Protein backbone atom coordinates (compact mmCIF):
# COMPACT_ATOMS: atom_id res chain seq x y z
CA UNK A 1 0.00 0.00 0.00
CA UNK A 2 1.45 3.35 -1.06
CA UNK A 3 1.99 6.04 1.54
CA UNK A 4 0.19 9.35 0.98
CA UNK A 5 3.00 11.90 1.17
CA UNK A 6 0.90 15.01 0.52
CA UNK A 7 1.05 16.10 4.18
CA UNK A 8 4.85 16.02 4.05
CA UNK A 9 4.92 17.93 0.78
CA UNK A 10 2.52 20.52 2.16
CA UNK A 11 4.71 21.19 5.20
CA UNK A 12 7.50 22.29 2.91
CA UNK A 13 5.42 24.87 1.10
CA UNK A 14 2.61 25.87 3.48
CA UNK A 15 4.19 29.21 4.45
CA UNK A 16 4.38 30.14 0.79
CA UNK A 17 0.79 29.03 0.15
CA UNK A 18 -0.53 31.08 3.05
CA UNK A 19 1.26 34.16 1.73
CA UNK A 20 -0.21 33.49 -1.72
CA UNK A 21 -3.70 33.10 -0.21
CA UNK A 22 -3.37 36.55 1.36
CA UNK A 23 -2.47 38.36 -1.87
CA UNK A 24 -6.17 38.93 -2.60
CA UNK A 25 -6.55 40.88 0.63
CA UNK A 26 -6.75 40.39 4.35
CA UNK A 27 -8.38 37.32 5.80
CA UNK A 28 -8.72 35.34 9.01
CA UNK A 29 -7.64 31.80 9.81
CA UNK A 30 -10.82 29.92 8.94
CA UNK A 31 -11.14 31.70 5.59
CA UNK A 32 -7.48 31.08 4.78
CA UNK A 33 -8.00 27.37 5.52
CA UNK A 34 -11.08 27.36 3.25
CA UNK A 35 -9.09 29.03 0.46
CA UNK A 36 -6.39 26.37 0.69
CA UNK A 37 -8.98 23.58 0.80
CA UNK A 38 -10.85 25.02 -2.20
CA UNK A 39 -7.54 25.12 -4.09
CA UNK A 40 -7.33 21.33 -3.71
CA UNK A 41 -4.83 21.18 -0.87
CA UNK A 42 -7.16 19.49 1.58
CA UNK A 43 -8.28 20.54 5.02
CA UNK A 44 -5.65 22.43 7.00
CA UNK A 45 -6.42 22.28 10.70
CA UNK A 46 -5.91 25.19 13.06
CA UNK A 47 -3.13 23.34 14.88
CA UNK A 48 -1.18 23.45 11.62
CA UNK A 49 -2.29 26.83 10.24
CA UNK A 50 -1.98 29.09 13.28
CA UNK A 51 1.66 28.28 14.00
CA UNK A 52 2.40 29.15 10.36
CA UNK A 53 0.55 32.46 10.70
CA UNK A 54 2.40 33.22 13.94
CA UNK A 55 5.75 32.42 12.32
CA UNK A 56 4.93 34.64 9.34
CA UNK A 57 3.89 37.46 11.67
CA UNK A 58 7.06 37.14 13.76
CA UNK A 59 9.08 37.26 10.54
CA UNK A 60 7.38 40.47 9.43
CA UNK A 61 5.81 38.77 6.42
CA UNK A 62 2.23 39.33 7.60
CA UNK A 63 0.56 41.77 9.96
CA UNK A 64 -2.33 40.84 12.18
CA UNK A 65 -5.13 42.83 13.75
CA UNK A 66 -7.71 41.59 16.23
CA UNK A 67 -11.25 42.78 15.58
CA UNK A 68 -14.17 42.35 17.94
CA UNK A 69 -17.34 40.92 16.48
CA UNK A 70 -20.93 41.92 17.15
CA UNK A 71 -21.86 38.24 17.03
CA UNK A 72 -19.57 35.56 18.33
CA UNK A 73 -15.91 35.78 19.19
CA UNK A 74 -13.55 38.31 17.65
CA UNK A 75 -11.22 37.38 14.83
CA UNK A 76 -7.59 38.00 14.05
CA UNK A 77 -7.25 39.31 10.50
CA UNK A 78 -3.99 38.84 8.60
CA UNK A 79 -2.59 40.79 5.67
CA UNK A 80 0.62 40.29 3.77
CA UNK A 81 3.30 42.99 4.15
CA UNK A 82 5.57 44.39 1.46
CA UNK A 83 8.33 42.17 2.83
CA UNK A 84 5.94 39.22 2.59
CA UNK A 85 5.17 40.02 -1.05
CA UNK A 86 8.87 40.21 -1.84
CA UNK A 87 9.50 36.90 -0.08
CA UNK A 88 6.57 35.34 -1.91
CA UNK A 89 7.93 36.40 -5.28
CA UNK A 90 11.43 35.15 -4.49
CA UNK A 91 10.27 31.85 -3.06
CA UNK A 92 7.66 31.34 -5.79
CA UNK A 93 10.41 31.37 -8.42
CA UNK A 94 12.47 28.89 -6.43
CA UNK A 95 9.46 26.60 -5.88
CA UNK A 96 8.43 26.67 -9.55
CA UNK A 97 11.98 25.82 -10.58
CA UNK A 98 11.98 22.92 -8.11
CA UNK A 99 8.58 21.81 -9.42
CA UNK A 100 9.89 21.70 -12.99
CA UNK A 101 12.87 19.60 -11.91
CA UNK A 102 10.60 17.14 -10.07
CA UNK A 103 8.18 16.91 -13.01
CA UNK A 104 11.01 16.32 -15.46
CA UNK A 105 12.49 13.53 -13.38
CA UNK A 106 9.11 11.87 -12.78
CA UNK A 107 8.30 12.09 -16.48
CA UNK A 108 11.64 10.46 -17.27
CA UNK A 109 10.60 7.60 -15.03
CA UNK A 110 7.41 7.21 -17.06
CA UNK A 111 5.24 8.77 -14.38
CA UNK A 112 3.57 11.88 -15.75
Amino acid sequence: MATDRRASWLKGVLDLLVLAALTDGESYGYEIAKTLDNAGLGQIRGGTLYPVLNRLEEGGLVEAEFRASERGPGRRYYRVTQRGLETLEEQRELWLSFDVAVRNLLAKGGIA
Side-chain angles (χ1 to χ4, degrees), residues 5 42 93:
R5 298 185 187 273
E93 294 304 317

Side-chain angles (χ1 to χ4, degrees), residues 69-75:
S69 174
E70 293 180 13
R71 295 179 288 152
R75 292 183 176 141

Side-chain angles (χ1 to χ4, degrees), residues 81-95:
T81 64
Q82 183 60 39
R83 182 174 176 194
L85 289 172
E86 291 165 1
T87 299
L88 174 61
E89 185 58 31
E90 173 189 299
Q91 295 299 311
R92 175 188 353 227
E93 294 304 317
L94 292 171
W95 178 262

Side-chain angles (χ1 to χ4, degrees), residues 18-61:
V18 169
L19 287 174
L22 289 169
T23 59
D24 288 335
E26 66 182 15
S27 191
Y28 56 96
Y30 178 74
E31 286 295 323
I32 295 168
K34 278 181 37 180
T35 297
L36 297 173
D37 189 19
N38 291 339
L41 299 168
Q43 185 179 13
I44 309 297
R45 300 202 182 277
T48 299
L49 180 60
Y50 288 105
V52 168
L53 288 165
N54 289 335
R55 185 169 52 250
L56 293 173
E57 185 178 8
E58 288 172 5
L61 304 179

